Amino acid sequence: MAKTIQAIRGMNDCSPTESPLWQWVEEKVRSVLQTYGYSEVRMPIVESTPLFARAIGEVTDVVSKEMYTFWDNDEQLTLRPEGTAGCVRAAIEHGWIYNNEQRLWYMGPMFRHERPQKGRYRQFHQAGVEVFGIANPEIDAELILLTARLWKQLGIFEHVTLQLNSIGSLEARQNYRSALVEFLQQHIDLLSDEEKERLVKNPLRILDTKNQALQEVLNDAPKLLDYLDQESREHFSQLCDLLDAAGIQYEVNPKLVRGLDYYNKTVFEWVTSALGAQGTVCGGGRYDGLVEQLGGHAACGVGFAMGLERLVLLVQEVNKQIALPSAVDIYVVYSGEGTTLPAFQLAEKLRTELPHLRTMTHCSGGNFKKQFKRADKVGAKFALVIGEMEAQTQQVVVKDLLGGAEQQSLALTDVVAYLKQATQ
Ligand code: ATP
Ligand code: MG
């Protein structure tokens, strides 16, 4: 036998038994976004590398070590590690922003060269939202309400908490950065080599260190919230008021900074403790400077992205109520002289008349016993049987595979009405 070839590490197949749950989750995402009037956009998976370097920031983990980059002749290209950069690029390129404000969403694969583990993969999927042109905090609140509604529909709301922070204007952050660096320099012996490097390049990232001793020291570090500019402070307090009024609980987490450079003002994450270390299921925030930074006319932006693998894992973990449809409702069984044609015609008729039912035709020969086994295997509710007798008399035998009702013979012309009633 020839040697087999395996999937790339950290890049998963979605099996036929897993896909119904994925479809269920994706459908909930789509329907909630529609409820809020958002429009879907689809961007390419490959973009030019400088787009990500400029948008996400050279010194971020994503750009400095997680991107899949390759040369295409003399152009450097990257598999998208996230959706915001591409969405902003597209919005500028097609003038989506200037016509009117835009509320957009997308869903699809992202790629990051990370160490694969539960909830962390090299190809993973995000559903993301980007809203352009709205400065006031009502829209920040809307995004959070939208996600909360989705968690309820997915049956995971009780298992996630909202972490919220404001990281202020660029200037406020720079002031804070200096104060933080000064503070951390007094504790330099606690910093790992990587954190020492971060102290120079991206000190705010040290705030979400996993290093326990450092975490404790950080409790006494200067707080970003104390350095906020007046405008960001007001924006944040209005957002908090709106969330309070909507009954959304949150925890203000002064250490929450997020890994991408483009954020300002609001940042938030929905986290769970049910998935081990990979607890963030959704993260987002405001990025008012990004459109201009990527060459567009200044326009503010706010968005978030959720990790679908983590959501699917969480739903599996905590929501035992979902009844996923089986792949097949009706299995058409036939054997003997002259039975193929009527079986095919019957199956096609059912697909036309009862399109919500999933009708499968056996197709692969063999005796009735083998065919019934197959019908059970695929979880069909009914088997429709056509033997030589039925073919000659224009009849069909209906066998209730789950309910255990007596099998009965029906005229071919009565089958649709019967199944319509029986599957209501
Ligand atoms: P983390 O801290 O877990 O690495 P992040 O801050 O890098 O997350 P974002 O860039 O904000 O993540 O992406 C938004 C969401 O996408 C995350 O909250 C997570 O649910 C999901 N996500 C990010 N990276 C991965 C990955 N490698 N595998 C699976 N899901 C991921
Ligand atoms: Mg990451």
Side-chain angles (χ1 to χ4, degrees):
M1 266 209 293
K3 197 167 177 287
T4 57
I5 297 173
Q6 248 123 56
I8 310 296
R9 207 163 101 81
M11 303 200 179
N12 302 315
D13 299 303
C14 181
S15 73
T17 48
E18 293 164 316
S19 61
L21 180 58
W22 274 84
Q23 287 172 350
W24 184 83
V25 169
E26 288 165 2
E27 202 36 55
K28 296 279 179 208
V29 172
R30 278 197 194 95
S31 89
V32 167
L33 287 160
Q34 261 164 25
T35 306
Y36 282 78
Y38 286 50
S39 308
E40 185 184 1
V41 285
R42 302 184 183 195
M43 291 83 64
I45 283 166
V46 184
E47 299 271 2
S48 105
T49 306
L51 171 68
F52 300 113
R54 250 166 89 184
I56 302 170
E58 293 278 5
V59 301
T60 56
D61 284 353
V62 171
V63 173
S64 65
K65 53 186 189 213
E66 294 174 0
M67 297 207 304
Y68 283 94
T69 295
F70 58 95
W71 288 96
D72 177 21
N73 293 325
D74 54 0
E75 196 178 2
Q76 210 176 16
L77 305 179
T78 293
L79 302 186
R80 62 183 188 189
E82 54 100 64
T84 306
C87 188
V88 172
R89 194 262 317 132
I92 296 169
E93 189 169 330
H94 307 294
W96 291 342
I97 310 179
Y98 314 114
N99 301 334
N100 35 50
E101 64 174 51
Q102 288 286 4
R103 304 184 199 197
L104 309 174
W105 68 272
Y106 50 83
M107 184 146 66
M110 307 292 162
F111 302 83
R112 296 186 195 178
H113 195 275
E114 303 197 72
R115 192 169 68 78
Q117 50 198 296
K118 184 182 173 192
R120 189 176 297 287
Y121 311 100
R122 292 183 170 174
Q123 173 171 338
F124 61 101
H125 299 77
Q126 284 184 340
V129 163
E130 315 295 345
V131 176
F132 298 112
I134 306 181
N136 71 46
E138 277 134 76
I139 194 69
D140 308 42
E142 176 171 295
L143 293 189
I144 288 170
L145 291 179
L146 183 161
T147 47
R149 184 179 294 272
L150 177 61
W151 311 148
K152 283 179 193 154
Q153 299 219 348
L154 293 174
I156 60 172
F157 187 64
E158 309 299 326
H159 301 269
V160 289
T161 52
L162 175 61
Q163 305 254 313
L164 195 61
N165 194 19
S166 174
I167 59 173
S169 66
L170 201 60
E171 199 191 348
R173 223 162 347 140
Q174 263 155 7
N175 292 338
Y176 174 68
R177 185 185 152 123
S178 314
L180 182 67
V181 169
E182 198 175 306
F183 173 86
L184 285 169
Q185 263 157 357
Q186 293 161 27
H187 303 277
I188 193 91
D189 45 323
L190 287 178
L191 269 60
S192 65
D193 288 346
E194 196 183 346
E195 282 158 352
K196 282 180 186 147
E197 201 179 312
R198 281 193 169 159
L199 190 60
V200 182
K201 290 184 173 164
N202 199 0
L204 267 58
R205 272 328 294 261
I206 300 177
L207 290 175
D208 60 23
T209 179
K210 303 269 185 296
N211 172 344
Q212 285 255 325
L214 189 55
Q215 271 178 358
E216 275 181 31
V217 164
L218 279 170
N219 289 332
D220 301 322
K223 303 269 178 293
L224 188 46
L225 282 173
D226 296 331
Y227 285 75
L228 284 196
D229 49 294
Q230 188 58 24
E231 195 197 333
S232 299
R233 201 183 289 272
E234 276 166 22
H235 195 272
F236 190 58
S237 95
Q238 285 166 19
L239 170 61
C240 292
D241 289 347
L242 285 164
L243 294 178
D244 291 338
I248 301 281
Q249 290 181 358
Y250 53 87
E251 187 187 325
V252 176
N253 175 1
K255 292 183 189 163
L256 182 67
V257 288
R258 315 252 324 114
L260 316 172
D261 271 2
Y262 47 60
Y263 289 111
N264 70 309
K265 289 189 176 145
T266 314
V267 290
F268 68 92
E269 283 188 357
W270 286 95
V271 294
T272 178
S273 54
L275 294 181
Q278 271 51 254
T280 307
V281 293
C282 173
R286 203 160 251 291
Y287 49 84
D288 295 329
L290 184 59
V291 175
E292 198 173 13
Q293 192 184 318
L294 290 180
H297 297 292
C300 49
V302 54
F304 64 78
M306 57 186 100
L308 296 181
E309 279 76 6
R310 292 183 196 178
L311 284 176
V312 167
L313 281 168
L314 186 55
V315 168
Q316 270 172 331
E317 195 79 29
V318 305
N319 185 348
K320 308 290 180 206
Q321 313 290 323
I322 318 167
L324 293 170
S326 67
V328 178
D329 298 302
I330 295 166
Y331 200 82
V332 180
V333 162
Y334 56 98
S335 178
E337 194 67 28
T339 58
T340 305
L341 225 55
F344 260 63
Q345 282 164 350
L346 172 63
E348 283 298 301
K349 182 168 158 189
L350 294 179
R351 291 164 188 145
T352 305
E353 306 272 335
L354 304 170
H356 62 287
L357 294 181
R358 301 143 199 249
T359 302
M360 184 178 271
T361 308
H362 179 67
C363 288
S364 60
N367 59 28
F368 282 120
K369 192 169 164 221
K370 176 187 158 193
Q371 299 194 30
F372 283 127
K373 248 188 168 158
R374 191 77 214 141
D376 280 332
K377 184 103 196 279
V378 298
K381 297 186 186 84
F382 291 94
L384 300 184
V385 190
I386 299 186
E388 287 179 9
M389 241 271 279
E390 284 75 26
Q392 277 162 22
T393 55
Q394 310 270 304
Q395 294 217 311
V396 59
V397 172
V398 181
K399 231 178 138 171
D400 183 348
L401 297 174
L402 300 181
E406 282 289 297
Q407 77 174 45
Q408 54 180 313
S409 276
L410 291 179
L412 266 178
T413 44
D414 293 338
V415 178
V416 168
Y418 173 83
L419 288 173
K420 204 173 189 172
Q421 236 247 317
T423 56
Q424 255 173 7

mmCIF file of all heavy atoms in Angstrom, residues 61-62 66 112 114 120 205 259 310, ligand 2:
data_model
loop_
_atom_site.group_PDB
_atom_site.id
_atom_site.type_symbol
_atom_site.label_atom_id
_atom_site.label_comp_id
_atom_site.label_asym_id
_atom_site.label_seq_id
_atom_site.Cartn_x
_atom_site.Cartn_y
_atom_site.Cartn_z
ATOM 1 N N ASP A 61 2.896 39.501 18.957
ATOM 2 C CA ASP A 61 3.187 38.068 18.778
ATOM 3 C C ASP A 61 2.727 37.609 17.409
ATOM 4 O O ASP A 61 3.412 36.868 16.720
ATOM 5 C CB ASP A 61 2.440 37.233 19.831
ATOM 6 C CG ASP A 61 3.113 37.326 21.186
ATOM 7 O OD1 ASP A 61 4.213 37.913 21.252
ATOM 8 O OD2 ASP A 61 2.531 36.833 22.162
ATOM 9 N N VAL A 62 1.534 38.043 17.032
ATOM 10 C CA VAL A 62 0.955 37.566 15.768
ATOM 11 C C VAL A 62 1.901 37.860 14.607
ATOM 12 O O VAL A 62 2.252 36.968 13.834
ATOM 13 C CB VAL A 62 -0.431 38.218 15.520
ATOM 14 C CG1 VAL A 62 -0.935 37.894 14.122
ATOM 15 C CG2 VAL A 62 -1.434 37.745 16.561
ATOM 16 N N GLU A 66 3.875 34.491 14.419
ATOM 17 C CA GLU A 66 2.788 33.528 14.180
ATOM 18 C C GLU A 66 2.288 33.488 12.739
ATOM 19 O O GLU A 66 1.395 32.710 12.418
ATOM 20 C CB GLU A 66 1.609 33.836 15.124
ATOM 21 C CG GLU A 66 1.937 33.604 16.600
ATOM 22 C CD GLU A 66 0.833 34.048 17.560
ATOM 23 O OE1 GLU A 66 -0.219 34.543 17.095
ATOM 24 O OE2 GLU A 66 1.025 33.897 18.776
ATOM 25 N N ARG A 112 -2.447 30.820 12.211
ATOM 26 C CA ARG A 112 -1.369 31.337 13.068
ATOM 27 C C ARG A 112 -0.450 30.182 13.427
ATOM 28 O O ARG A 112 -0.930 29.106 13.823
ATOM 29 C CB ARG A 112 -1.922 31.958 14.358
ATOM 30 C CG ARG A 112 -2.773 33.184 14.102
ATOM 31 C CD ARG A 112 -3.185 33.854 15.408
ATOM 32 N NE ARG A 112 -4.263 34.801 15.148
ATOM 33 C CZ ARG A 112 -4.872 35.513 16.079
ATOM 34 N NH1 ARG A 112 -4.520 35.388 17.348
ATOM 35 N NH2 ARG A 112 -5.845 36.350 15.771
ATOM 36 N N GLU A 114 1.159 28.657 15.835
ATOM 37 C CA GLU A 114 1.254 28.577 17.288
ATOM 38 C C GLU A 114 1.435 27.120 17.675
ATOM 39 O O GLU A 114 1.261 26.225 16.854
ATOM 40 C CB GLU A 114 -0.048 29.066 17.931
ATOM 41 C CG GLU A 114 -0.430 30.472 17.528
ATOM 42 C CD GLU A 114 -1.442 31.059 18.473
ATOM 43 O OE1 GLU A 114 -1.043 31.377 19.613
ATOM 44 O OE2 GLU A 114 -2.618 31.195 18.102
ATOM 45 N N ARG A 120 -6.396 25.690 20.676
ATOM 46 C CA ARG A 120 -5.415 26.525 19.974
ATOM 47 C C ARG A 120 -4.872 25.731 18.784
ATOM 48 O O ARG A 120 -4.280 24.674 18.968
ATOM 49 C CB ARG A 120 -4.274 26.914 20.933
ATOM 50 C CG ARG A 120 -3.327 27.951 20.357
ATOM 51 C CD ARG A 120 -2.267 28.385 21.356
ATOM 52 N NE ARG A 120 -2.792 29.056 22.542
ATOM 53 C CZ ARG A 120 -3.272 30.300 22.540
ATOM 54 N NH1 ARG A 120 -3.244 31.018 21.444
ATOM 55 N NH2 ARG A 120 -3.737 30.829 23.654
ATOM 56 N N ARG A 205 1.845 44.333 27.113
ATOM 57 C CA ARG A 205 1.555 42.889 27.034
ATOM 58 C C ARG A 205 1.972 42.141 28.295
ATOM 59 O O ARG A 205 1.470 41.068 28.584
ATOM 60 C CB ARG A 205 2.262 42.259 25.835
ATOM 61 C CG ARG A 205 1.554 42.245 24.490
ATOM 62 C CD ARG A 205 0.065 42.135 24.544
ATOM 63 N NE ARG A 205 -0.491 40.892 25.066
ATOM 64 C CZ ARG A 205 -0.949 39.893 24.345
ATOM 65 N NH1 ARG A 205 -0.904 39.947 23.046
ATOM 66 N NH2 ARG A 205 -1.462 38.826 24.904
ATOM 67 N N GLY A 259 -3.900 41.635 22.398
ATOM 68 C CA GLY A 259 -2.610 41.404 21.764
ATOM 69 C C GLY A 259 -2.332 42.187 20.494
ATOM 70 O O GLY A 259 -1.242 42.104 19.939
ATOM 71 N N ARG A 310 -13.336 27.183 19.866
ATOM 72 C CA ARG A 310 -13.559 27.284 21.314
ATOM 73 C C ARG A 310 -15.043 27.315 21.633
ATOM 74 O O ARG A 310 -15.483 26.746 22.631
ATOM 75 C CB ARG A 310 -12.851 28.522 21.870
ATOM 76 C CG ARG A 310 -11.343 28.362 21.803
ATOM 77 C CD ARG A 310 -10.581 29.518 22.410
ATOM 78 N NE ARG A 310 -9.191 29.469 21.975
ATOM 79 C CZ ARG A 310 -8.281 30.358 22.302
ATOM 80 N NH1 ARG A 310 -8.600 31.384 23.086
ATOM 81 N NH2 ARG A 310 -7.040 30.241 21.859
HETATM 82 MG MG MG B 2 -2.851 34.594 20.550
#
